Amino acid sequence: MNTHHGTHGNIGHSRAGASDIALAQLLELDAEVLAPYLTELTGWLADLARPAPVRILDLGSGPGTGSLALAHRFGSAAVTAVDISPQMLHRLHKQAAVHGVAERISTLEANLDEPWTETGEAGSYDLMWAAAFLHHVADPARTLAQAFENLRPGGLLAVSEMDFFPRFLPEDTGIGRPGLEVRLHAATNTLPPHEWTDQLQDAGFTVEERRPFEIRLDRTQAGPALNDYAQICLAKLRSHATDVLDADDLAAWDALLDQTQPHSITRRGDLGVRTTRTTWIARRP
Ligand SMILES: C[S@@+](CC[C@H](N)C(=O)[O-])C[C@H]1O[C@@H](n2cnc3c(N)ncnc32)[C@H](O)[C@@H]1O
């Protein structure tokens, strides 16, 4: 496992570089817009994780929105954020300083597909967090086995996944035929949501909860980052739609994504967010 403790470092050794920076921006906007959900989720976790966790491991932390939320929720915990991307960890360091929790968050640059030799002694974590991560690893069963090994008996693993890409637009956008976003999702979201219950049990965990969070936020609840978040998400979906939508729908999408147009996603006042995220709470017996 390639590791780097305590500092972002290693910025020159890049696996993906620019795409990681773009993903970090998207994940930060995601956390800003969905802050009410993240607050509810960590509050729920605080009810289940008693006594309050002291050592927390954030698996595939990205830019650390989960690490920050956990550091705020559990005021005396030390959080270790692990990610393969130095760009993500660099961003996390900056954000931890901005949030005033830098002394309680350390980073570990590591490939979690390899044996976890640097995460510390076996059985030493009280809580692990794996948000939008488990589906990235080569062998989830092996990753879950290592998570199990690194948790103390009684410790919790929280696994969270996005069931489907967020939706933002009203049925009739004023551009093209109504129902455009529904058609885009139907054409591009073709895989079923991730399901981890069996694999968690196979790894030895007791699955205590499996909770889908139905997120419905209007523009006031979502806050000022909503339009930028929607623009980035919908541009990403559009990039998968070229061969699956007809020419009229593609032209309508391009008009919506054109920031110079009055109806564009970045200028609209009628956006909201609708999505579902599922969280599993698994305990090491
Ligand atoms: C979709 S992002 C989620 C980030 C963060 N958990 C969040 O919810 O915002 C997935 C993250 O997993 C990291 N990742 C993917 N494969 C990895 C691996 N084998 N070892 C460590 N990190 C990995 C990526 O670099 C990326 O930051």
Side-chain angles (χ1 to χ4, degrees):
M1 183 161 72
N2 171 23
T3 58
H4 190 89
H5 279 280
T7 170
H8 55 80
N10 260 351
I11 294 298
H13 128 62
S14 166
R15 182 181 48 94
S19 68
D20 279 2
I21 292 165
L23 178 59
Q25 284 166 349
L26 173 59
L27 293 169
E28 286 175 359
L29 283 170
D30 181 275
E32 186 175 340
V33 169
L34 303 186
Y37 149 73
L38 211 46
T39 302
E40 186 182 351
L41 174 52
T42 59
W44 180 54
L45 204 47
D47 290 338
L48 296 166
R50 294 190 187 277
V54 175
R55 293 198 67 205
I56 298 175
L57 192 63
D58 183 1
L59 304 172
S61 65
T65 57
S67 297
L68 294 170
L70 293 167
H72 285 303
R73 174 65 67 185
F74 301 109
S76 47
V79 181
T80 302
V82 193
D83 204 283
I84 199 170
S85 160
Q87 285 82 10
M88 292 288 186
L89 297 176
H90 176 60
R91 186 68 205 166
L92 195 162
H93 268 275
K94 287 170 98 167
Q95 290 300 97
V98 170
H99 283 247
V101 291
E103 75 290 349
R104 288 195 292 116
I105 298 186
S106 59
T107 59
L108 182 55
E109 185 190 323
N111 181 354
L112 289 164
D113 282 329
E114 295 173 7
W116 298 11
T117 52
E118 303 288 333
T119 47
E121 281 174 37
S124 56
Y125 289 94
D126 303 303
L127 173 65
M128 287 189 200
W129 171 272
F133 165 69
L134 210 45
H135 63 272
H136 284 281
V137 300
D139 183 351
R142 191 175 57 199
T143 301
L144 289 174
Q146 296 199 87
F148 187 91
E149 173 110 345
N150 278 262
L151 270 174
R152 68 165 170 77
L156 291 183
L157 167 65
V159 175
S160 174
E161 296 283 3
M162 184 194 292
D163 289 9
F164 60 84
F165 224 66
R167 294 171 193 187
F168 301 95
L169 289 162
E171 163 76 6
D172 188 355
T173 63
I175 304 220
R177 268 193 307 134
L180 191 54
E181 192 176 32
V182 172
R183 288 195 295 285
L184 179 67
H185 275 273
T188 54
N189 268 349
T190 50
L191 295 174
H194 300 285
E195 177 53 65
W196 297 115
T197 305
D198 289 348
Q199 293 214 50
L200 285 162
Q201 287 171 343
D202 290 348
F205 288 99
T206 303
V207 177
E208 298 208 337
E209 303 267 0
R210 179 191 175 284
R211 178 171 167 190
F213 287 81
E214 303 283 341
I215 302 165
R216 303 282 180 273
L217 302 175
D218 63 25
R219 66 170 296 107
T220 311
Q221 295 164 313
L226 174 60
N227 291 64
D228 286 346
Y229 176 59
Q231 174 80 11
I232 294 175
C233 286
L234 293 174
K236 210 169 160 61
L237 266 198
R238 165 67 181 86
S239 70
H240 296 288
T242 306
D243 298 326
V244 289
L245 284 187
D246 68 30
D248 287 347
D249 276 355
L250 288 174
W253 266 114
D254 290 338
L256 284 165
L257 290 169
D258 179 349
Q259 300 187 31
T260 65
Q261 299 298 315
H263 287 290
S264 82
I265 288 160
T266 48
R267 298 179 179 209
R268 303 181 74 96
D270 59 358
L271 302 182
V273 195
R274 303 175 295 282
T275 188
T276 306
R277 307 242 161 137
T278 294
T279 297
W280 291 257
I281 303 290
R283 194 180 294 277
R284 176 176 171 168

